[in-house]
Amino acid sequence: MHLLPEPLFTVPIDETDIVITIKGTTGGRILMGARHGCIYEFFLSGLSLVSRPEKGTIKMYDLDTDGQAMTRVTAIGINTIVQSVANIAAAQTFSETQNTLGLDGKRWSLAEVTPTLQRQIDPSIFAPPAPEPSLIVTPVDILHQLLFDASGPDNTAVRAFFQVLREEQACATALILACSTSIQDSQLADWAALAFFLLGGDVKVSPSHLAHPITSPASPFVVNSPAHLNSTPSNFHHQQSHFTFSSPDSGGGGGFNPNAISTPQMQPYSPHSNNVVTSSGGAELTDYQFSGRHNGLYLYLGRILRPLWLMPLARDVGKPHQPLLDSVVNSEELLTVLGQLNALKGFVHANIHQNGPQSYQSSEKGRLQDAQMQERKSLLAMKQLLDHTVEVLALWKVLCDHQLHLLGQSLSAEMRMSLKTTLFRDLILSGSDTCIGLINALIHRYLDDAASTDAISEKLRQVCPSLYRNEDALCTKVNEQLLKARTNSMSRMDKERLLQQTLETCKQIPARINLAHVCQQLSACQYFGGVVELCCVVAEKLDPQHRAQQCYSGQQEDPAAVEALLARKNCYQQMCLVLQKLYTAAACHPQSPSVPKSPGPMVQTTPQGYEEGLSPLEAQRLADETLSLALQSDDELCHVAIFDWLTDNKWDDKLLEIQSPHLENYLKRQTVGQVGQQQQTDLVAKYDLLWKFYEKSGQFIAAARVLSRLADAHSTAISLPMRIEYLSRAIVCARAAETSSFGNAVQGQFLYEMEEKMDVAKVQSQVLEAVSRLPSRDADTISRLHSDLLDVTQLYEQFAEPLGLWECKLAILHCANHYDSALVTSIWQNIINAEVKKLSSADTETKLATLGSKMKTLGRTYAQSEQFFPLEFLVKTLETYSVRWNGPPGWAVSIILTAGVSFQRLFAVYNRLYGAKDVVWQAEGKPNHLLKVLADMLNRLVDSSTGGLAALVPTADRRALIGQCVEAVGVYLTDLFCTTHATSPALIAEFRTLQGKLELL
């Protein structure tokens, strides 16, 4: 058990004389000697003894009536005390305390006394005017004198000073002297700093099984620390710190709250002398106590900031209807506070280090190390707050020096109102955005006045480097140079030199510049090459590891890669906007002259999108140059951005003109399958671009394969005529590939397959046309014929056969080269019957003309394929209808010859048909009908006016044909001589004439 020098409680003795000495007897009596010679005795109603270790359980003992016995009455553990204190702290607001002292004589007024040392900060002292002069001595003066007398801190009196005033208060007092910047006080400042470190105490922990706290053998402080510890933390860099601060009167339970201080508090690294850290409204028990040095630093910082902590930033002055914004704290007052803060900052940076204590083996020493680490974190947070506070207040002083009332006129009403309601506390703790807005307003004031920003940028870099970094200064310089470049006072050479300097500056700060704004300014200066270069450089700096390319290629899809891809796209988008502007200007043409609506001078109008100062031809030239420069980039994503831009604008021709190694891969990626009608339409357009690219680049076989894929694709977005066109182009490309590369077996096979597909597609087109003419046509059936290329089996079984499409059946058999004599003959019979049925009500001429036209059309298709053009059947059928409709003798002959059947083949068929002696002619009442037709054919052969033999028969076949004809005429004459029909004499005479002519041939 130790005796503590501090009193546990006091008893007022206002009614007595001034006590100058107290003595106790062995019997327990307490005697007090007064100044005027009187003796007083202190009586207790009961004899008791109270013990309280520095950190332990409070116990009360009863000494009995004679003071000779000792019985423990009660005990209260430290945990219970701490919990009670925490509950009280959670419900109350603590502030600095004050003491009430009795004064001799009468006093009429009180006044605050300026500290005797102007360089120090000390708790306020109030001196009453006395009837005679008095000397007021502060703790600073006392410590000053003690250090001076002892020539250093290693003195009993100095130690007693720290014990009587308590460690944190004494440390705060020592800091006043240690932070002195006066030359004559330099030695005293060193002594005060040494006293601060020697006597300020250490972190302490109180294990439950130890009666005494363990004192840290190390400390988070170091005297004369290396210069590299003077760096500025970056936590407050353009954002609110992750620490949470509360104002002196916020009532929060967390944070340091010594006996006589009201200071900014922070969580989670909160100084606490009462062993309790309150977090989120609750109380958490700890087993360590921060050192007096730690608490003294917070105490001293709080006293410096106390005068302006809860003061608003600005107020309205001047006339009510035209108020001006003015700072509540003037520049001189800020200068005083900044001087004190900078002195403390110098001390903190020189003496707080970041290295942790050495490792300990025992668990108790490990707990001590943890406590020391918590103190170090708290000190580093305080150091960070101090640095940030100095920068914020220094910035506010710069604003005051630049006439805040004039600067306020350029601020928005919202910003002006915010400045009048925001406290210095709020500006320091959470006002980074406000600081940045004020800096921007100050810079824009210089820019608006066309003044150089070098001086103000340098000043801001000096006073608030974390709020206005070097990158910000360069951004300011860029804005200044861009505005200067847009003036008309510079020569072209000087402007280009200035823009090049601006571009180089922008390259140094790619992540800080407003790329869209800079590109817009460069474009306004017609420095389009600079826009391209800047966009490429910024994209590279934002994605140095080329994660965007990996994301685009599908190799990596993590959030960082996706973000890198978006960053590059945003950069290249600015480049595309400039290209869009130029090509739009190039597409604009001056409006043609027209009659004005009103008299007066002609008003020149500029088309929308017209680039100021550029003619369409000049804009076209610059656009092509800029596009060419952009395509020189090695980044595939730059090319992709340009391709997307051209595609979105439907500039397919310009896209296909681009010579880029990435275009093929881009077009392939665009042909990824999609769903939905609109998506299918877009997909077809992408495939169209791909095959056109291959065709334009001479890759004919690749183009043919893409076209074949398009023709075969199942899609309602591709009609059957489009499929046939794709097949036709595929065949052309395949043939071109054979010609250009001398062909090979694979290409030959591919060409053969394409030609077969084309034949089937033509048949499908015929089926579609026939189905479309049906009265009961079905939309689904038509859609089916459009959405796919079908094979001949599907066409025959699913369409031609069930729908009775006879011509389509014939076409399918012909395309498939499937010969069935009976089936073919039946199909032709049904074709002719269907046509005759449609002509049932027509006149003879119409019937002959319509049926003849149908047979000519079909004959041209099938006449050269004897298997699918049964000539004898067709001749007999046509001649039968000729007889019935009284057609001319040469009607059927003309049809078949026009269809492409040779004369000699047709003559042979007629000759055989005549020799068959079919009774059909007798039944129709015209037994000599075939002889009339044969006579007409022979007249055609010998009629030189129409070309005769030379026009109808090839030279090689003429002699044989003439012999056949002469022989046949002899047979015809013999038969005619044996008949008695009325037409026989005329035919005999005609054949005799023909016989003579044939013999002459």
Side-chain angles (χ1 to χ4, degrees):
M1 184 179 295
H2 296 271
L3 293 177
L4 301 179
E6 299 87 353
L8 294 179
F9 55 86
T10 60
V11 177
I13 53 174
D14 295 342
E15 302 299 328
T16 65
D17 203 348
I18 297 178
V19 177
I20 60 176
T21 182
I22 300 177
K23 293 294 182 179
T25 68
T26 57
R29 298 178 65 187
I30 301 175
L31 302 176
M32 300 177 292
R35 184 173 60 178
H36 299 295
C38 299
I39 297 177
Y40 300 91
E41 183 174 0
F42 181 74
F43 290 98
L44 295 174
S45 59
L47 296 179
S48 62
L49 175 65
V50 178
S51 66
R52 190 204 70 179
E54 185 174 355
K55 291 187 66 176
T57 302
I58 298 177
K59 301 178 181 179
M60 176 177 287
Y61 298 89
D62 183 11
L63 303 181
D64 210 351
T65 56
D66 57 359
Q68 299 303 314
M70 185 173 180
T71 304
R72 193 178 78 168
V73 178
T74 185
I76 302 177
I78 185 64
N79 292 343
T80 304
I81 298 174
V82 169
Q83 186 64 45
S84 299
V85 173
N87 293 336
I88 296 173
Q92 293 182 5
T93 300
F94 295 98
S95 60
E96 289 197 359
T97 61
Q98 65 280 339
N99 294 325
T100 303
L101 302 176
L103 302 176
D104 294 335
K106 295 182 177 180
R107 297 295 182 266
W108 297 102
S109 63
L110 292 175
E112 184 174 2
V113 177
T114 302
T116 57
L117 300 176
Q118 295 293 333
R119 60 189 179 278
Q120 295 100 357
I121 301 259
D122 202 23
S124 298
I125 299 171
F126 293 87
E132 56 186 23
S134 60
L135 176 63
I136 300 176
V137 181
T138 66
V140 178
D141 298 320
I142 296 173
L143 182 59
H144 181 280
Q145 190 63 40
L146 291 175
L147 292 172
F148 181 79
D149 293 340
S151 299
D154 191 11
N155 182 270
T156 304
V158 177
R159 292 190 183 92
F161 177 87
F162 271 76
Q163 291 179 354
V164 172
L165 204 61
R166 300 295 294 269
E167 287 179 354
E168 63 267 10
Q169 293 287 351
C171 286
T173 304
L175 283 173
I176 299 174
L177 297 174
C179 294
S180 174
T181 57
S182 176
I183 298 178
Q184 58 269 27
D185 293 335
S186 59
Q187 182 62 59
L188 190 66
D190 293 339
W191 290 340
L194 190 56
F196 176 85
F197 291 110
L198 291 177
L199 306 175
D202 295 304
V203 180
K204 302 173 184 177
V205 294
S206 297
S208 58
H209 64 281
L210 294 180
H212 308 289
I214 298 177
T215 303
S216 170
S219 170
F221 301 92
V222 61
V223 180
N224 298 325
S225 65
H228 72 272
L229 295 181
N230 294 336
S231 60
T232 302
S234 60
N235 302 67
F236 281 92
H237 183 58
H238 285 263
Q239 60 184 6
Q240 183 176 352
S241 170
H242 63 275
F243 296 106
T244 303
F245 299 92
S246 60
S247 64
D249 59 347
S250 63
F256 170 61
N257 201 359
N259 294 334
I261 180 60
S262 177
T263 185
Q265 305 164 11
M266 58 180 59
Q267 297 171 349
Y269 307 122
S270 304
H272 46 83
S273 60
N274 295 327
N275 304 323
V276 177
V277 176
T278 301
S279 176
S280 302
E284 180 183 355
L285 182 65
T286 62
D287 59 351
Y288 59 86
Q289 180 179 15
F290 285 160
S291 66
R293 293 174 295 193
H294 169 279
N295 296 346
L297 278 169
Y298 273 89
L299 184 61
Y300 183 54
L301 175 59
R303 286 174 175 168
I304 295 175
L305 296 177
R306 178 174 52 188
L308 51 75
W309 188 250
L310 296 179
M311 294 180 65
L313 297 175
R315 61 190 172 190
D316 283 334
V317 297
K319 300 178 181 180
H321 60 282
Q322 289 181 342
L324 297 177
L325 202 65
D326 190 25
S327 175
V328 174
V329 181
N330 59 41
S331 181
E332 290 74 15
E333 293 170 335
L334 287 171
L335 184 62
T336 301
V337 176
L338 283 170
Q340 298 161 354
L341 288 174
N342 280 314
L344 177 59
K345 177 181 175 181
F347 178 85
V348 169
H349 277 262
N351 296 289
I352 294 182
H353 68 82
Q354 299 179 359
N355 298 325
Q358 59 182 351
S359 300
Y360 300 99
Q361 298 299 325
S362 68
S363 60
E364 297 299 337
K365 292 300 179 71
R367 293 172 61 242
L368 178 62
Q369 183 181 4
D370 292 339
Q372 185 183 355
M373 183 178 297
Q374 293 300 321
E375 177 168 306
R376 181 179 303 106
K377 290 180 179 179
S378 177
L379 288 171
L380 291 176
M382 188 276 295
K383 178 182 176 183
Q384 182 180 344
L385 172 63
L386 175 60
D387 293 341
H388 182 69
T389 301
V390 170
E391 291 193 21
V392 171
L393 295 182
L395 170 61
W396 189 255
K397 183 179 181 301
V398 171
L399 296 172
C400 293
D401 293 340
H402 281 76
Q403 298 177 306
L404 184 63
H405 63 281
L406 296 179
L407 185 63
Q409 295 176 357
S410 62
L411 300 177
S412 64
E414 182 180 359
M415 175 65 84
R416 290 197 298 270
M417 179 59 66
S418 175
L419 293 180
K420 290 186 291 184
T421 57
T422 300
L423 307 179
F424 276 96
R425 174 196 64 187
D426 303 325
L427 184 67
I428 293 171
L429 301 183
S430 59
S432 294
D433 292 339
T434 303
C435 292
I436 295 172
L438 292 172
I439 291 174
N440 290 334
L442 180 59
I443 294 299
H444 279 98
R445 182 181 175 190
Y446 275 78
L447 295 176
D448 293 341
D449 294 341
S452 174
T453 59
D454 293 342
I456 187 61
S457 290
E458 181 64 25
K459 181 65 176 178
L460 292 173
R461 286 288 301 135
Q462 291 176 359
V463 301
C464 51
S466 66
L467 294 174
Y468 188 75
R469 298 172 297 178
N470 183 57
E471 293 86 348
D472 299 316
L474 292 177
C475 285
T476 300
K477 191 63 178 176
V478 167
N479 286 331
E480 178 186 347
Q481 291 174 337
L482 289 174
L483 291 175
K484 186 177 181 181
R486 296 192 65 176
T487 61
N488 297 324
S489 59
M490 299 184 66
S491 64
R492 183 176 182 84
M493 184 176 297
D494 292 340
K495 179 180 291 188
E496 290 183 356
R497 187 182 300 110
L498 180 61
L499 290 173
Q500 184 62 36
Q501 294 175 358
T502 304
L503 182 61
E504 295 301 323
T505 304
C506 290
K507 291 179 182 179
Q508 300 176 28
I509 48 173
R512 290 290 302 148
I513 62 172
N514 185 338
L515 184 60
H517 173 73
V518 174
C519 289
Q520 183 179 4
Q521 296 297 319
L522 291 175
S523 176
C525 297
Q526 299 184 9
Y527 193 45
F528 304 109
V531 173
V532 174
E533 187 175 353
L534 179 60
C535 291
C536 293
V537 169
V538 173
E540 182 67 22
K541 292 294 180 65
L542 294 179
D543 180 30
Q545 298 179 349
H546 298 90
R547 291 184 175 179
Q549 180 63 44
Q550 298 173 4
C551 181
Y552 178 75
S553 303
Q555 303 174 7
Q556 190 175 6
E557 297 183 357
D558 58 280
V562 174
E563 184 178 356
L565 179 60
L566 293 176
R568 283 192 178 257
K569 284 185 176 181
N570 291 335
C571 293
Y572 296 135
Q573 183 183 12
Q574 303 305 319
M575 181 173 59
C576 293
L577 290 176
V578 172
L579 288 170
Q580 179 77 37
K581 192 175 183 180
L582 286 172
Y583 277 111
T584 302
C588 295
H589 300 285
Q591 296 180 354
S592 57
S594 58
V595 178
K597 297 181 179 179
S598 60
M602 181 179 294
V603 178
Q604 297 292 338
T605 58
T606 302
Q608 184 178 3
Y610 193 80
E611 178 69 11
E612 183 178 358
L614 292 178
S615 65
L617 292 178
E618 183 69 10
Q620 183 67 47
R621 181 185 66 81
L622 290 173
D624 293 340
E625 290 178 357
T626 305
L627 179 60
S628 177
L629 183 62
L631 291 173
Q632 293 177 15
S633 171
D634 296 332
D635 185 11
E636 180 180 358
L637 296 179
C638 178
H639 293 240
V640 169
I642 295 174
F643 301 155
D644 285 338
W645 164 67
L646 290 171
T647 303
D648 293 340
N649 285 277
K650 308 299 182 183
W651 290 341
D652 296 344
D653 294 339
K654 189 174 293 296
L655 175 65
L656 296 176
E657 291 174 0
I658 291 178
Q659 301 294 324
S660 170
H662 306 294
L663 182 56
E664 179 180 358
N665 183 50
Y666 170 80
L667 294 175
K668 284 182 178 180
R669 290 176 63 93
Q670 299 301 305
T671 57
V672 177
Q674 305 177 44
V675 295
Q677 180 65 29
Q678 183 60 40
Q679 288 78 7
Q680 289 184 13
T681 303
D682 295 339
L683 184 60
V684 172
K686 304 299 183 183
Y687 269 109
D688 282 339
L689 283 176
L690 183 59
W691 74 257
K692 289 177 182 178
F693 164 77
Y694 283 135
E695 185 182 52
K696 192 175 184 65
S697 59
Q699 303 180 58
F700 297 112
I701 195 65
R705 294 190 183 282
V706 174
L707 287 164
S708 175
R709 193 178 305 129
L710 273 172
D712 290 335
H714 171 75
S715 173
T716 57
I718 307 176
S719 65
L720 183 58
M722 292 174 62
R723 297 177 189 276
I724 294 175
E725 182 180 355
Y726 288 141
L727 287 174
S728 177
R729 289 182 177 274
I731 292 171
V732 172
C733 289
R735 288 173 179 171
E738 277 196 328
T739 303
S740 61
S741 60
F742 300 100
N744 54 51
V746 175
Q747 294 180 4
Q749 179 64 26
F750 177 76
L751 176 59
Y752 174 76
E753 292 175 357
M754 290 298 100
E755 290 174 341
E756 281 198 336
K757 281 186 180 181
M758 174 60 81
D759 293 339
V760 177
K762 289 179 179 179
V763 174
Q764 183 171 335
S765 177
Q766 185 176 346
V767 172
L768 174 63
E769 184 179 355
V771 171
S772 300
R773 291 196 301 265
L774 292 176
S776 59
R777 55 183 176 273
D778 183 18
D780 292 338
T781 303
I782 295 176
S783 176
R784 174 78 190 285
L785 290 168
H786 275 297
S787 59
D788 286 288
L789 281 182
L790 306 176
D791 57 41
V792 290
T793 302
Q794 291 173 312
L795 291 174
Y796 191 90
E797 293 179 352
Q798 299 177 15
F799 298 94
E801 177 66 24
L803 297 177
L805 307 177
W806 300 106
E807 293 183 30
C808 295
K809 287 185 180 181
L810 181 61
I812 293 171
L813 293 177
H814 179 260
C815 179
N817 197 24
H818 178 76
Y819 179 65
D820 184 333
S821 177
L823 179 60
V824 171
T825 301
S826 172
I827 291 174
W828 275 106
Q829 184 65 62
N830 282 280
I831 291 174
I832 295 175
N833 291 343
E835 195 68 21
V836 171
K837 184 178 180 180
K838 292 189 296 184
L839 297 172
S840 59
S841 60
D843 54 51
T844 300
E845 293 184 0
T846 302
K847 290 179 180 179
L848 292 173
T850 303
L851 182 59
S853 176
K854 170 63 71 173
M855 295 305 295
K856 288 178 183 179
T857 301
L858 294 175
R860 292 189 184 100
T861 303
Y862 304 106
Q864 303 304 320
S865 301
E866 295 183 7
Q867 294 176 337
F868 301 97
F869 194 74
L871 187 56
E872 290 188 15
F873 168 77
L874 294 176
V875 167
K876 181 179 178 181
T877 302
L878 291 177
E879 291 297 344
T880 301
Y881 281 107
S882 178
V883 170
R884 293 174 181 173
W885 295 339
N886 280 327
W891 174 71
V893 173
S894 297
I895 292 173
I896 296 176
L897 287 177
T898 303
V901 177
S902 65
F903 183 89
Q904 56 270 34
R905 179 188 172 197
L906 182 60
F907 178 78
V909 168
Y910 268 96
N911 195 35
R912 287 196 301 272
L913 189 61
Y914 172 75
K917 304 298 181 180
D918 198 319
V919 297
V920 64
W921 317 113
Q922 189 71 32
E924 294 292 338
K926 294 183 178 181
N928 292 334
H929 175 73
L930 289 181
L931 289 176
K932 289 183 179 181
V933 175
L934 287 168
D936 180 79
M937 290 185 65
L938 294 176
N939 281 318
R940 292 171 186 259
L941 190 64
V942 300
D943 187 2
S944 59
S945 62
T946 59
L949 181 64
L952 294 175
V953 183
T955 304
D957 299 330
R958 290 174 186 173
R959 182 175 296 277
L961 177 63
I962 292 173
Q964 295 172 6
C965 291
V966 171
E967 180 181 356
V969 169
V971 174
Y972 303 153
L973 288 173
T974 301
D975 291 342
L976 286 172
F977 285 135
C978 298
T979 63
T980 59
H981 194 269
T983 59
S984 296
L987 286 174
I988 293 173
E990 186 173 4
F991 276 118
R992 284 179 174 175
T993 304
L994 288 172
Q995 188 176 29
K997 292 182 178 180
L998 289 172
E999 290 176 353
L1000 291 177
L1001 292 177

